[in-house]
Amino acid sequence: MTISLEGMHFYAFHGVYEAEQILGTNFIVDIHIEVADPDNGWIDHIRNTINYETVYQIVKQEMGQPKNLIESVLQGISEKLMTQFSNMHALRIVLHKRNPPLGTKIDSARIETSQKFLSECPECNHKFILYHKNACFENNPNIHPATKETLLKQYNAKCLCKKCLSRYTN
């Protein structure tokens, strides 16, 4: 299932040029979040899905913090969504900067990021969500360095699920 918020309009002050930081411009943001249908079906309660009011508030907060690069804005939105929601299988964000100051009429500059978070454990084939590739055994302080090296070689740097990974922790 994909949950989307499309056409969120903001007036913000992102840009490299001083005029952009002072005058601001219009931005449009689209968010698309993939989630799996729950095993026991959809229970009619907001905590069982992606709350799009929360998504909007995250986007609004990030759009309200001026940055030089709109790429940094997308990164901030993405990181906050990963912190807030643990059940995203994929995330796509599109940001339109309306009327960029390029000396001619241009409707918008557009950037987009797409991320997939669903991984498969190479040991047990269990599917699990992994937001940060470096959050696997490489940076786990509870795994001996020699064990980390062996796991990296054995599984070709692919991450293990929590259950399989727990067998290698101190």
Side-chain angles (χ1 to χ4, degrees):
M1 172 178 293
T2 301
I3 297 168
S4 299
L5 280 179
E6 297 179 328
M8 292 180 276
H9 289 253
F10 300 93
Y11 196 85
F13 300 89
H14 307 298
V16 173
Y17 300 114
E18 185 177 358
E20 295 175 294
Q21 297 169 4
I22 294 170
L23 300 173
T25 193
N26 291 299
F27 292 84
I28 301 171
V29 181
D30 301 324
I31 304 276
H32 308 276
I33 300 172
E34 274 184 43
V35 295
D37 292 342
D39 293 335
N40 59 348
W42 290 103
I43 299 169
D44 196 22
H45 195 283
I46 194 71
R47 72 176 170 263
N48 296 313
T49 188
I50 300 291
N51 183 337
Y52 52 82
E53 180 180 13
T54 303
V55 172
Y56 171 77
Q57 292 299 329
I58 288 170
V59 175
K60 180 181 174 185
Q61 178 186 17
E62 286 299 306
M63 291 303 294
Q65 298 174 3
K67 298 204 169 67
N68 289 334
L69 301 177
I70 54 178
E71 292 85 348
S72 296
V73 177
L74 284 189
Q75 181 179 344
I77 293 169
S78 178
E79 287 173 359
K80 290 221 172 40
L81 289 171
M82 286 186 275
T83 300
Q84 183 66 38
F85 302 108
S86 61
N87 58 340
M88 296 188 302
H89 284 206
L91 171 64
R92 185 170 150 253
I93 306 171
V94 181
L95 188 145
H96 299 264
K97 182 177 190 174
R98 304 287 299 169
N99 306 309
L102 298 175
T104 187
K105 173 77 172 129
I106 296 178
D107 289 339
S108 69
R110 177 182 182 269
I111 64 169
E112 178 177 332
T113 183
S114 292
Q115 300 166 280
K116 295 192 182 295
F117 306 118
L118 197 59
S119 292
E120 185 173 311
C121 180
E123 190 164 310
C124 71
N125 297 324
H126 174 74
K127 291 191 184 318
F128 64 101
I129 294 173
L130 178 65
Y131 285 150
H132 300 285
K133 298 295 181 199
N134 62 355
C136 199
F137 46 79
E138 296 98 326
N139 295 322
N140 189 324
N142 298 318
I143 299 177
H144 190 275
T147 304
K148 288 180 190 180
E149 190 175 321
T150 301
L151 290 172
L152 280 168
K153 288 178 185 173
Q154 182 176 353
Y155 294 109
N156 199 22
K158 292 183 180 170
C159 195
L160 303 177
C161 68
K162 286 182 182 180
K163 181 180 173 188
C164 290
L165 194 59
S166 69
R167 289 182 264 177
Y168 300 100
T169 58
N170 300 333

